[in-house]
Structures are given as structure tokens and as C-alpha cells.
Amino acid sequence: MKAAVVEDFARPPRYRDFDPPVPGAGERRVSVHAAALSQLVRAQSAGRHYTRGTPPFVPGADGVGRLDDGRRVYFVFPRAPFGAMAEQSVVRAEYMVAVPDEVDDVTAAAIANPGMSSWAALSHRAALVDGETVLIQGATGASGQLAIRIARHLGAGHIVATGRSAAAEAALRRLGADEYIALEDQPESLSERFAELVSRGVDVVLDYLWGPPALALMQAFTGHGPAASPPVRYVNIGSLAGADIALPAGLLRSSGIRLMGSGIGSVAHTDLVASIGGVLSAVETAGLKIATETAPLAEVEKVWGAAREARLVFVP
């Protein structure tokens, strides 16, 4: 079969022949119709992610296609080395869900991964309760924008979004954010905004940034009074602002932060699949949208590294 193949972590995948998969016990063969290029797939294909494979392998963590019996499904966790960016892939039956008729292949492939990030974090890690306040740290990207609508759909009563610049405020408010904090503010001003927000109460933080913005936010949750600091479930999802922080031990001792992560390894595969099923079923009811571009899989090497605003989806 034809496939995109990672032969070297230092180079983009190359379109070439690859042995087709043969389904094993409990697996299904999928004829792939759409596969998105996510940050996860980029990192895996460059050898930078903890779930990376060993070359040669077909990239693609998920996709949309049809089973041999004609059913249209979204699938995730294909068996290595048969990723989703190929004519065929193979995946365990429990790692796929039906795609609603009203959701097209490209939208389903593009929205599943970024939508799942907040759905799984809120449902399986933070255990969001109706009416709680959710702060989305780094809400300007595709995942963060979806997180605003998903948090509201799952019951958030008040939503605070943060982003790099003040110019993003209007767009994020239109998506449903009740407040906005620009991270480009001077450190003293930013600390004051965070402190004022925390004084009113924050129940859940979804953090797509990590790095210095995470530390600045967590410092706002510290206290030294006679009463215990209010609890906050702080869920890290991404690290766009830096992979590491120097976290003082005293910060955790003087705050009510319950620090956790959400992703592959901290959430069961079946729960991630269930979260994606929830996202796909809510595309219409929650008004979930994502900007997309398409490219033929045969052009993978040419278009792989190009910068773009929309989510790139490879099609046959």
C-alpha cells in the first residue's frame, strides 16, 4: 500500500510503498479517508514525544475511515508501525467509535484530538462539577478555543481564558469566555490580575502552556493565613511555553493546588476514546468548530513543515 513513512527523525515523512497491515485477534482493518497532522503526530515523527516509535513507521495517531463491513468510524491508537497516514491501518475494536452522520470525515479527523484534550481533562481528571469556575491557560490555539465551548457544554458556570495578547480577547469572548487575561501584561500587573481572580475562586485550571506562565499562575494560589488555601484542580495538558519549570516546594505547601496531568498514560485508552466519542456527538449541539485544510497524502513531504493556522488533514 501507499503510505507516509518516517525513515529518519530529522526529515519529514516520505510517500512510498509500505507493507499493508494484517489484522490480528481483536483488531479491525480500516480503509483510511482522513488523518490530521496534530502537534502530537509532529512530535512523534520528530522523535520528541514519549510515545514515539522506531523508524521506519507510518505516522498518524488517529483518523477516520471505513471498516471492511462499510461502517464509518473514528479510530485511535493504531498498532505500530501502521499509523493512520496510509491507505490502510489496523486498530483494536475498542479503540474506535462511530462518526455521527452530520460530521464529515475531515472535521471528525481534525477536531477529535484537540477536542479530546479538554473533554478528557474535565471529565476524567478534574471531575468538573456543574457551575464551577474553569480557567483555560493558553486558550488561543485550536485546543484552547474548543476547550471554552466544551467546558460550557460540560457544565462550567464561569470561564476565564488567557492568551498571549489583548487582541485575542474579542474572539475568545465570542466563543463563550466570561473573562480574559492577556499574558503579555507586565509581570506585576499580571500577578495582580491572577491574584484578584483567585480571590474570587477558581476550581479547575486547564493548562496548555506550562513554562513561566504556569509558575506565575500557581504563585497566585499561595496563601499564609490561618485558613487553608481553597483547593484547585490544576490539570496540565500541554507545554507550548516550556517543558520545565522550577517549582518551589513551598508553593505546594502553601496552596491548595492539586497538580495533575491529562494525556496518554494518565487517562486510560478507553476513556480517551469515550471522550472523543463525546466530542463528536457534541459537534452540532455545542457548536464545536475547527478550521481545516486538506492535502493529498502523496504531498506529505512537501507540505509537512509549512506553517499554517488551520489544522491540516491528509486525504487519499
Side-chain angles (χ1 to χ4, degrees):
M1 66 175 181
K2 292 294 187 181
V5 181
V6 174
E7 300 172 314
D8 185 329
F9 286 139
R11 297 179 52 196
R14 187 165 66 93
Y15 187 70
R16 68 170 179 81
D17 291 325
F18 200 79
D19 290 339
V22 176
E27 294 181 333
R28 300 289 185 272
R29 177 170 44 226
V30 184
S31 296
V32 184
H33 292 180
L37 179 56
S38 63
Q39 292 294 335
L40 169 63
V41 173
R42 287 186 184 277
Q44 289 172 328
S45 300
R48 297 193 306 266
H49 197 268
Y50 61 91
T51 61
R52 64 186 180 274
T54 301
F57 65 89
V58 177
D62 59 346
V64 174
R66 289 194 181 272
L67 303 179
D68 290 344
D69 62 11
R71 286 181 292 163
R72 190 168 69 113
V73 298
Y74 165 87
F75 66 94
V76 66
F77 307 121
R79 170 164 52 87
F82 304 106
M85 294 180 180
E87 292 179 328
Q88 296 180 5
S89 191
V90 64
V91 63
R92 295 191 61 80
E94 61 266 33
Y95 296 158
M96 58 181 67
V97 294
V99 179
D101 291 341
E102 64 271 17
V103 183
D104 63 85
D105 292 344
V106 171
T107 297
I111 209 167
N113 184 275
M116 173 273 293
S117 68
S118 57
W119 194 292
L122 291 168
S123 298
H124 297 286
R125 299 298 282 162
L128 180 69
V129 175
D130 282 356
E132 288 190 316
T133 294
V134 176
L135 187 154
I136 301 167
Q137 177 86 316
T140 57
S143 297
Q145 290 180 35
L146 286 168
I148 295 172
R149 289 202 180 274
I150 287 171
R152 187 72 75 195
H153 180 74
L154 293 178
H158 192 78
I159 298 172
V160 182
T162 76
R164 289 183 296 271
S165 70
E169 179 172 2
L172 297 185
R173 284 186 178 274
R174 285 194 297 270
L175 289 172
D178 298 297
E179 295 185 57
Y180 181 76
I181 296 176
L183 299 177
E184 67 180 0
D185 289 348
Q186 294 298 316
E188 183 176 334
S189 174
L190 184 59
S191 295
E192 291 175 356
R193 289 291 307 277
F194 280 153
E196 191 277 328
L197 173 65
V198 169
S199 71
R200 290 186 277 117
V202 174
D203 301 293
V204 175
V205 174
L206 301 184
D207 178 15
Y208 287 95
L209 300 180
W210 204 238
L215 189 57
L217 176 57
M218 283 192 279
Q219 286 170 337
F221 289 103
T222 59
H224 307 286
S229 297
V232 56
R233 287 102 76 198
Y234 195 110
V235 189
N236 174 256
I237 304 174
S239 52
L240 293 175
D244 303 291
I245 62 172
L247 181 61
L251 188 152
L252 294 179
R253 295 199 301 270
S254 61
S255 73
I257 292 174
R258 299 173 183 175
L259 186 60
M260 66 191 86
S262 183
I264 299 172
S266 59
V267 181
H269 283 14
T270 51
D271 288 335
L272 293 176
V273 174
S275 296
I276 291 164
V279 171
L280 295 178
S281 68
V283 166
E284 289 282 313
T285 56
L288 305 183
K289 297 179 180 179
I290 188 168
T292 61
E293 295 180 20
T294 61
L297 186 60
E299 297 181 5
V300 60
E301 189 172 4
K302 180 174 70 174
V303 303
W304 185 267
R308 49 178 47 83
E309 293 294 326
R311 183 61 55 103
L312 179 62
V313 179
F314 289 108
V315 296

